[in-house]
Amino acid sequence: MKIDLRSDTVTIPTPAMLNAIYNAKVGDDVYKEDPSVNALEDYVANLFGKKSALYFPTGSMANQAAIKLHTNPGEQLICDKWGHVYNYEGGGVSFNSGVSCKLVDGSRGKITADLAEKAINPPDFYHSPKTSLVCVENTTNKGGGACYELDELKAIHQVCKQHGLGYHLDGARIANAIIAKKQDPKEFGKLFDTITICLSKGLGAPMGTVLVGDEAIMQNAMRVRKVLGGGMRQVGFMAAAGLFALQNQFERLEEDHKKANELGEMLASLNFVEKVESVETNIVIFYLDEKVDAEKFMHKLDELGIRISDMGEGKMRMVTHLDYTEIMHDFMLENFRKAYID
């Protein structure tokens, strides 16, 4: 048995999703003539209560487009030190937009309104970059799937409004947050100027992210996507997979969360695990005891047919997903302790 918990991006389409792909009606999306893409964009815009949406091939490109729409070269955005836009998008903030990042020291990848406000550069001090955007990530990747409370997001929104800043949500796993916190997507739509939602993580589509926003800021989104190389043709086959995921595989994220919690409880009982981060969604972060050789540990897991992520310095990550079955889960709960024998 092979069990891959490195990420929720490793899934493959279900037979029902493959059927949706096969039967998709397509056209040329560069001309906005792909009915499946148009249907997906309309669905996601309505989901968040926004006027406009645009389909992108990747989450990083969608985030980079949003940053480009909000900023001008020489300006600065605020994000957590663990933010995806800073750590995992290839330096695109500076390369694509000529913008720098003001990093704040939040908790598990989450910032607060107070931290955001303190990070704003004085507008009349020309030596500093002009602060123009606040980016938050929900759920947090490096923070182990932690979710924001709406009250904190509302407080950050007020800071942005008071200081005339844009407000962007990197919602790579926003679907997980919505399910875990039983939130209404339209509440996020009321707060943020732009939102991305990734379809290829827990939702299980092969590719794609949708950027949604208010009509005014989204006017140039297609142009920016083109500049970034994201213009696509008969991509409705993949858009149909994304729409199927949203309509059929959204609520089931709760199953992933349940399994992740059970994995966290199992890990907490092992004498070779020093610490397990609080599990809120489908990501489990844990730390090996200093006596454990991480390389040997990972090799033993490989012998057991288990793949997880080694994040360095004893920090490990598991991510549950659509293709992680009950049989696999039972095997993990019963056999993971064999990865280290004292």
Side-chain angles (χ1 to χ4, degrees), residues 21 24-30 34 36-38 40-41 55-57 207-208 225 230-242:
I21 293 170
K25 295 179 179 178
V26 299
D28 191 326
D29 183 50
V30 171
D34 191 304
S36 295
V37 174
N38 295 341
L40 172 64
E41 291 172 347
Y55 185 51
F56 283 77
M207 63 166 278
R225 187 181 71 175
M232 299 173 285
R233 302 298 180 178
Q234 290 75 23
V235 75
F237 293 112
M238 293 296 97

Side-chain angles (χ1 to χ4, degrees), residues 148-223:
Y148 278 90
E149 298 292 343
L150 274 174
D151 285 346
E152 190 62 60
L153 293 176
K154 288 177 181 177
I156 300 170
H157 167 78
Q158 284 301 117
V159 170
C160 292
K161 187 175 180 181
Q162 180 182 346
H163 294 274
L165 308 181
Y167 195 23
H168 173 64
L169 171 60
D170 172 4
R173 293 183 175 89
I174 187 61
N176 292 90
I178 289 167
I179 292 298
K181 296 290 188 181
K182 297 179 170 43
Q183 293 163 333
D184 181 352
K186 287 183 172 58
E187 288 294 325
F188 293 95
K190 292 174 184 176
L191 297 176
F192 290 92
D193 301 309
T194 50
I195 300 170
T196 57
I197 177 171
C198 185
L199 306 171
S200 65
K201 293 186 171 66
L203 291 170
M207 63 166 278
T209 289
V210 179
L211 172 67
V212 299
D214 298 320
E215 197 167 13
I217 198 167
M218 291 290 287
Q219 281 183 352
N220 289 320
M222 275 195 71
R223 176 176 291 278

